[in-house]
Every structure is written in structure tokens, then in C-alpha cells.
Amino acid sequence: MKYKRDPKRIRQVLGKKVQFILGDMACVYGGLLAGCSFFGGYPITPASEVAEGMARRLPRVGGTYIQMEDEIGSIAAVIGAAWGGAKSMTATSGPGFSLMMENYGFAAMTETPCVIVNVQRTGPSTGQPTLGAQGDMMQARWGTHGDFEAIAFAPSTVQECMDFTIEAFNLSEKYRNPALVMTDGEVGHLRERIIIPEEKDLKLIDRVEATIDKKKFIPFTNSQTRKNCKVPDFPTFGTGYRTYVTGLTHNEKGFPATDKQPDHERLVKRITEKIIDDADKLVSVEKFNLDDAEIAFVTYGASARPTESAMEMGRKNGIKVGMLRLKIVWPVPEKEVHKLAKQVDKIIVPEMNLGQMVHPIREAANGNCEVICAPKIGGEIHYPDEVYKYLEAK
Amino acid sequence: MVEVKTAEELNKKFLREGMWPTIFCNGCGHGVVLEYTFWALEELGWDMDKTMFASGIGCSSRLPGYINADGLHTTHGRAIAFATGIKAADPDFNVIVFTGDGDCAGIGGNHFIHAARRNIDMTVIMINNFIYGMTGGQLAPTAPLGSIATTAPYGNIEHPFDICELAKALGANYVARWPVSHPYQPIKSIKEGLQKKGFSLLEFLAPCPTAYGRRNKLGDIKKHWAWYDDNTILIEDYDKIMKYGSVKEKEEVKDKMQIGVFQDIQKPGFFELYDQLMERLKVEENKKREGKK
């Protein structure tokens, strides 16, 4: 029988309103609150707790957990479930994320809402399985072949692991695009206090399902029920629309158009523009001490935690430093960064890799100030003084 | 139950308008399997709004495009994993996967193995033409020893994969193999496979004159069909010969492909067991709650 979200039941299963839990578990809570009813999992450190949490709770709320044979199968099943009408998600880490890349692109091409949590660990290859990193930030944006747009969140706290998983579901449903929660082994394996939001405070977005006359319905074009909306209405399988969904370049009816340039251009422009057009609405940042800042940190995820300390050390020592923390990392808030670059002399980007998000940030700064990377790798979060020393460097 | 009488009426009912012409070459066996599937569906009288198809990449995987039903044409080898998700979203759906020998036994082997092991309630129709046809005739994992392919120009030296024996070993509920040259047994087997709870596999030997036949001296359909007659043997006959036959008779049949129904059992399917699990959790939780009161 088809899953129906039961808020009372979900809260019964989640338990107390205030809890002290793991970041990975907070992703489970966020998924369940958002109405996730299918999880395709595969064990991988440091993301396994998400699958474990789902395996324990999904059957109790009426959803389905299946441990798939690999990460390729996990994301495939997640996409299949989405077409069957479910909100669905999976969780993985670096090597598994690499394996998911082909079907990640399939989800973008077929406009399938789904959520992937990536609890990043160090790489390349097997790297340091138990330790955190932010080495997949570019892969999230460019890892699958061809042109597409990524939607990705970066939680800095356990509370945000839950909140952003809910938000990732909302945006994936709204834009009919895969959405990512790019957390890492640091935040994923951190225990903090979380507050589970009341049902009335929970804002959930569901995909707009196709409702118009079946003969008039066109599956892969602008919405036929909403004005100026490039996101088509969703013809859930089993509702009689009898839709053909393919990863091949398809025309508006969904039929393969593999040798037709105009069809490809129209399709790929629409699936990217539906997100780019809304870039301003997709800005989600937190600002610290930026009003009079001459130096700014721009950072995200776990790296924001030591960076905040470094900023406070700087302020104590009379340095006019502020911080811009990106909550949504893809799309990059280009206008925000551009404005900031015009105000400050220097932007420093602390991240747990040898320099990834620094590139789009430098592009957004567009030469208006110096943009440098403050890298840290090896499975350790920055120490605040390691970040601080970039403030004093001439 | 049967409403339509001719192939023309059948096609009108089940084919998707606007997808013609097909990509298939002259003499290709895929259309034949599709028609057998339509007859089986017609005889079952299933609601096509609740019957959906998934496929991967390759010629066989284009079949869902020609069916007037929901279809998910996915990535190479992954159709069974996608189909697992569709079924999970609503176990009342009828889920059918069309796949080929390369898609299923090659790149998708692992998904096939585990869906069969889990006994996921779906029907997998694997069309085996011994070749990667869409990409122009490269060696497939099911190709008989000695087969010529563009990537086996001096003859195949790899032992072929028997996907039916594999499915049987994994405990799939229904497993059958037929060449497309026999119309009645395939339709009957598809019907049985579709009705079966749990995992069912139907393998069809189907000609690919363009990519396989041309290189392997099986140029036209007649030769292909004669090859099937000469190189296959009913499972029952094979077993009899192996038990009671002479040394010479045994020698004659030992390398032939067996055809027929390999397995027909009633192991509980994944979603049946999942429902029981959810029910058990409910009962345990209620007991706990009452205990607290």
C-alpha cells in the first residue's frame, strides 16, 4: 500500500522534542519529518548511521528501507521510488558518491526529485574512511557528465543536518532536481543538542502532481498549470498519465530525440534555467561582523566552526574581520560574494580540501579583492589559530 | 477475458502512438518478445495504468518506449535496481523489466543477483541475442564459445553465462527460457511469470541478424531458427538422456542450451515479508504501550 505521511506517528517514532544526537541521525530525523518513505542504503563510513537510523525507523512509520547491493543500486532505487510517488533519499560518502554520479545525472536529466546525503570523508580513493573532509564539493557540482545544475546544502551543526535535510527535500520537490546535503565526517559524527520542530512550524513542499486532462498533458515542458514556471508537473507512475521517462535527450513528450540539436538545447536549457532563474531565492547565508569588515572569511560546513573562533580572535586583536557562512553552497550566492568583494580587501576561504569552493568564490569576486584559500586536509578540522594566521599574513 | 483477437487489434491496444518507427532492424527478435508479452498481458487483463516498465540500455531496453504505459528508461545495467524502487513506492504496481544479455548478465549482473536473492516481486524479461547489438556487435557474456564479435574477432574464448541456472540457484520463484521461435510456450511462461509473487526471470533467445547473425553465418532468420532447433533441448529431455541415455546420446546433448521452465516455486517475496515485519513491529509496540498503562 502507498505510504501516507502521518505526523503523529513520525513524532512518536522520533521521540522527545529535545535530544542529544549524532549529525548522521539528524539527517534521518530530517528525512522522516519531510515525509521520506523510501531509503535505499549501502554501508559506508562515516555515513552508515544514516542507513541504520532509517532501517530502524522507516518500517515503524510505514516506509520502506532496502539495503541495496551497492551505491549505484541505492540511488537507482531512490529514483525509481520517486517516480512511484515516494519522497526518497540515500546517504553515502566519497567512494559511494563517486559510484552514484551516473544516476545523479539521470535524476537531473529526468527531473526526478530525490535527496542524497554525502557525509564526506577524505580522498582521493578510499582515503581516510573515518575522518571528515570537504573534498567532494566540486564533484557535487560537476561530477556527472553534461550540463546540469546542482542544489547543495552544507550543515555546520547537528541541528542543521536535520533542518537542511528537510530543506533539501523541499527544494528537490520544488525544482524536480536532485538535492544534496553535503555534510562531512566531522559534523556527521558530532553529537549536539537538537530541537525537533513542531508540526505547525514545519514548512514542507511537495512536488506539483499532474492533474490536467491526460490527453492534453505534456510531461517535459513548462508547467501547464503554473504561469512562468519551468518545472513541469509531475506525472506520478500509476496515475494514468502513462509517461515515458528516459535519460536520453527527449522532446517535450518525453520521446527520444537523440539526433535533434534544438530538442537538446531546449531541454537542457530549461532544466538548468529552472534553477538559475531562481538563484536569488536560493541564497541562504549567515553573516557575522560584516558591516565594517576589511577582511572576510567565506566558508561553509564544519570549516565554519573553527573559522568563527578565528574571527573572534581577530576581532579581539583589533582586526576588522567578518564571516560569510554559506548554508546553500550550490548554487553559489554570486551576488552576495560579489558585493562583499567590493567591500573588503581580502576574502579567505577555509575549507577541508586543497581549494574547491574558493574557485567559484574567486569567480564571483571577479577581481574586486584578493581571494585566497585556507586549506586543511588529512582528516582534521582546522585549529582556530591555523585559520587565524591567515589574518596576519601580509 | 481476451478482448482482442488479431495482432493488429493487440498492437492498437498496447502500443504507444507517436513512437514509430521502431529502432529495430529487419529480422530482430525484440518485437516478437514484445508481442508475446502483449498477448500475456491481454490474457491476464491487467490494468495498464498500474502496470509499468523499466529498462536499461541496449536494443531490448527500448521496448518500454513502444508500450502505452508508464516506462522508465534508465542507465546501463541498472533497470532492476530502479524497478525495485518503483515497486517499493507502491507494492500494488505490476513491475516488468525489459533487459538484454549485456544489460542484465554483463553490467547489471549484481543488481540481477540481488533482486533475485531478495525475491523482489517483479518480472524480468531478458532478451538474449548473444551480442551487444546497439553498439555494433561487441562480445556479450552469453555468447557461445567460438562466436565472432567485433571485440572477439578471432572467436570467443570466454565461457558463456547461463543466467537461468544462476536465477535458479538464487531461489527466484519462476525461471524459464525459450527461443522466440516457439510462440505458445513463451506466452504461457510470461503469464506464469507475471502472476508469480516474488522474482521471475524469462529469458528469450532472439536473433540479431545485423550484429550477430552476419558475423556468425546465421545471416537470415531461417538459419537462426534452425540454430535454435539444433542447439537447444527441453529440460525434461535433457534430464532423461543424462539419466538413462547412452554415452553417445549424452555426448550429443551435453553442450546444448536447455529450454523450458527451470524453476516454479512459492518462496515469500520481499514485500510480503516486509509487510509481516511492519505488522510485527506494530503488535510489539502496542503490547509495550499497554504494559506501560
Side-chain angles (χ1 to χ4, degrees):
Chain A
M1 216 173 55
K2 219 168 190 148
Y3 171 86
K4 204 169 174 301
R5 186 177 179 275
D6 178 351
K8 210 177 129 199
R9 183 79 195 119
I10 291 168
R11 273 151 215 285
Q12 255 175 14
V13 169
L14 294 188
K16 285 180 189 150
K17 195 182 164 200
V18 180
Q19 297 185 27
F20 186 67
I21 61 166
L22 213 57
D24 281 359
M25 201 54 73
C27 294
V28 173
Y29 285 25
L32 294 175
L33 286 167
C36 172
S37 66
F38 180 78
F39 189 98
Y42 190 79
I44 188 167
T45 307
S48 299
E49 292 86 349
V50 187
E52 290 166 356
M54 281 293 189
R56 195 171 274 279
R57 289 167 186 80
L58 265 175
R60 296 176 60 206
V61 301
T64 308
Y65 171 87
I66 303 183
Q67 184 158 314
M68 296 300 291
E69 48 278 5
D70 55 32
E71 289 88 346
I72 303 173
S74 300
I75 180 68
V78 160
I79 295 168
W83 279 98
K87 284 188 178 179
S88 57
M89 71 183 275
T90 183
T92 189
S93 185
F97 195 57
S98 294
L99 282 175
M100 288 182 185
M101 281 300 116
E102 187 190 11
N103 285 338
Y104 174 44
F106 180 84
M109 187 63 150
T110 54
E111 304 180 67
T112 308
C114 58
V115 171
I116 305 170
V117 174
N118 180 358
V119 191
Q120 296 171 86
R121 69 193 222 189
T122 65
S125 190
T126 316
Q128 296 167 301
T130 59
L131 303 176
Q134 295 170 326
D136 310 347
M137 301 307 294
M138 278 293 173
Q139 191 184 15
R141 176 66 188 88
W142 303 108
T144 195
H145 53 283
D147 297 301
F148 75 109
E149 280 296 319
I151 297 173
F153 290 82
S156 295
T157 63
V158 173
Q159 178 77 41
E160 283 186 345
C161 284
M162 179 174 68
D163 297 347
F164 290 181
T165 304
I166 297 170
E167 275 306 303
F169 266 107
N170 283 347
L171 294 188
S172 90
E173 294 284 317
K174 181 175 176 186
Y175 293 104
R176 280 188 58 181
N177 203 69
L180 311 175
V181 180
M182 298 295 288
T183 178
D184 57 73
E186 301 295 338
V187 177
H189 278 177
L190 184 68
R191 270 177 207 277
E192 279 181 332
R193 191 181 74 143
I194 60 153
I195 302 169
I196 297 172
E198 299 284 344
E199 187 67 15
K200 64 176 170 44
D201 300 326
L202 210 54
K203 285 194 183 70
L204 297 183
I205 299 175
D206 292 334
R207 65 197 74 166
V208 174
E209 290 202 56
T211 48
I212 70 164
D213 183 349
K214 294 184 174 76
K215 285 208 174 79
K216 287 183 187 147
F217 180 67
I218 305 170
F220 294 96
T221 187
N222 287 4
S223 167
Q224 288 172 285
T225 57
R226 291 161 289 165
K227 268 187 191 161
N228 302 323
C229 177
K230 289 177 179 166
V231 184
D233 300 350
F234 192 84
T236 309
F237 279 8
T239 55
Y241 283 90
R242 301 192 179 187
T243 308
Y244 185 54
V245 180
T246 176
L248 288 169
T249 288
H250 41 277
N251 63 20
E252 293 179 328
K253 288 180 176 169
F255 299 165
T258 50
D259 52 356
K260 296 187 178 70
Q261 188 276 337
D263 280 321
H264 185 82
E265 188 171 328
R266 184 170 56 224
L267 170 67
V268 175
K269 278 200 155 171
R270 184 178 55 73
I271 66 172
T272 50
E273 283 171 3
K274 70 184 177 186
I275 294 160
I276 299 167
D277 290 355
D278 263 9
D280 288 346
K281 289 185 198 158
L282 291 168
V283 173
S284 181
V285 294
E286 190 177 9
K287 295 173 183 176
F288 300 81
N289 294 330
L290 281 177
D291 289 346
D292 63 342
E294 289 165 3
I295 301 178
F297 290 117
V298 178
T299 188
Y300 56 91
S303 302
R305 301 175 69 112
T307 302
E308 192 180 344
S309 304
M311 178 196 67
E312 279 162 7
M313 284 159 68
R315 281 280 165 180
K316 261 184 208 153
N317 293 338
I319 304 171
K320 287 187 174 170
V321 54
M323 176 169 112
L324 181 71
R325 182 169 75 89
L326 313 183
K327 299 186 197 172
I328 292 180
V329 278
W330 296 111
V332 169
E334 286 179 15
K335 282 185 192 164
E336 288 286 333
V337 174
H338 188 78
K339 212 172 78 191
L340 185 63
K342 281 186 166 167
Q343 174 197 326
V344 299
D345 301 327
K346 191 196 266 184
I347 286 176
I348 303 163
V349 184
E351 48 185 339
M352 291 160 71
N353 54 50
L354 289 181
Q356 296 200 6
M357 294 309 291
V358 68
H359 295 290
I361 287 163
R362 189 176 286 142
E363 193 179 317
N366 199 20
N368 283 297
C369 77
E370 188 187 2
V371 178
I372 61 165
C373 179
K376 177 78 186 261
I377 60 171
E380 266 184 16
I381 200 164
H382 297 76
Y383 287 91
D385 52 357
E386 287 175 331
V387 181
Y388 176 78
K389 73 173 192 248
Y390 284 87
L391 292 177
E392 291 190 326
K394 285 281 172 257
Chain B
M1 206 47 136
V2 180
E3 288 170 7
V4 303
K5 289 186 179 69
T6 65
E8 211 177 344
E9 285 172 347
L10 187 80
N11 289 346
K12 206 170 170 207
K13 179 167 173 187
F14 287 98
L15 285 176
R16 187 193 293 277
E17 279 175 36
M19 280 291 279
W20 294 93
T22 72
I23 60 155
F24 302 126
C25 306
N26 283 345
C28 171
H30 289 92
V32 183
V33 177
L34 186 62
E35 185 164 331
Y36 293 164
T37 309
F38 287 166
W39 279 119
L41 285 166
E42 172 63 19
E43 286 177 23
L44 290 173
W46 276 3
D47 179 358
M48 291 303 284
D49 281 346
K50 299 288 176 197
T51 303
M52 45 214 68
F53 298 82
S55 64
I57 295 295
C59 295
S60 58
S61 293
R62 289 299 194 94
L63 286 174
Y66 306 115
I67 307 168
N68 185 16
D70 288 319
L72 194 61
H73 178 218
T74 69
T75 47
H76 198 17
R78 318 299 171 201
I80 292 172
F82 279 91
T84 299
I86 299 175
K87 186 75 185 177
D90 191 344
D92 292 338
F93 289 158
N94 308 310
V95 180
I96 302 168
V97 173
F98 277 111
T99 179
D101 42 320
D103 196 53
C104 181
I107 188 169
N110 203 31
H111 305 301
F112 173 81
I113 288 172
H114 289 280
R117 176 184 64 81
R118 282 181 204 114
N119 213 6
I120 300 278
D121 187 11
M122 65 169 77
T123 301
V124 174
I125 300 178
M126 186 188 99
I127 304 173
N128 181 1
N129 56 12
F130 304 145
I131 200 86
Y132 283 78
M134 184 170 268
T135 43
Q138 294 79 18
L139 182 68
T142 52
L145 279 168
S147 296
I148 305 290
T150 56
T151 49
Y154 310 114
N156 174 29
I157 56 165
E158 294 180 21
H159 298 283
F161 210 148
D162 189 328
I163 204 82
C164 286
E165 289 291 357
L166 177 69
K168 189 179 160 185
L170 292 164
N173 268 357
Y174 190 86
V175 182
R177 169 162 57 219
W178 298 104
V180 289
S181 44
H182 300 228
Y184 297 108
Q185 296 91 330
I187 294 171
K188 184 167 174 277
S189 266
I190 295 172
K191 250 175 80 179
E192 286 172 356
L194 289 175
Q195 283 173 293
K196 186 66 89 175
K197 289 274 171 219
F199 193 86
S200 51
L201 167 74
L202 300 147
E203 179 189 346
F204 290 111
L205 305 178
C208 176
T210 306
Y212 188 80
R214 198 156 47 95
R215 294 188 179 88
N216 289 280
K217 300 192 176 117
L218 292 168
D220 62 24
I221 294 307
K222 267 190 194 159
K223 277 192 193 158
H224 267 99
W225 289 31
W227 190 93
Y228 295 143
D229 282 345
D230 295 343
N231 291 281
T232 60
I233 180 168
L234 277 170
I235 296 169
E236 295 79 5
D237 293 346
Y238 180 89
D239 288 347
K240 243 181 254 167
I241 291 171
M242 283 304 168
K243 216 171 176 182
Y244 307 114
S246 65
V247 175
K248 189 172 164 257
E249 281 170 324
K250 283 180 187 170
E251 191 58 32
E252 272 172 10
V253 302
K254 80 172 182 10
D255 290 328
K256 289 192 176 185
M257 292 184 86
Q258 295 176 59
I259 54 170
V261 179
F262 284 70
Q263 187 144 278
D264 187 352
I265 55 173
Q266 304 283 358
K267 225 170 60 174
F270 177 89
F271 292 101
E272 202 180 324
L273 292 172
Y274 196 87
D275 276 349
Q276 287 173 16
L277 180 147
M278 287 202 286
E279 203 45 49
R280 179 160 57 85
L281 290 177
K282 230 182 253 171
V283 172
E284 279 170 15
E285 218 167 296
N286 286 343
K287 257 191 207 159
K288 231 187 198 171
R289 211 169 293 146
E290 275 166 24
K292 268 184 192 168
K293 279 176 192 170

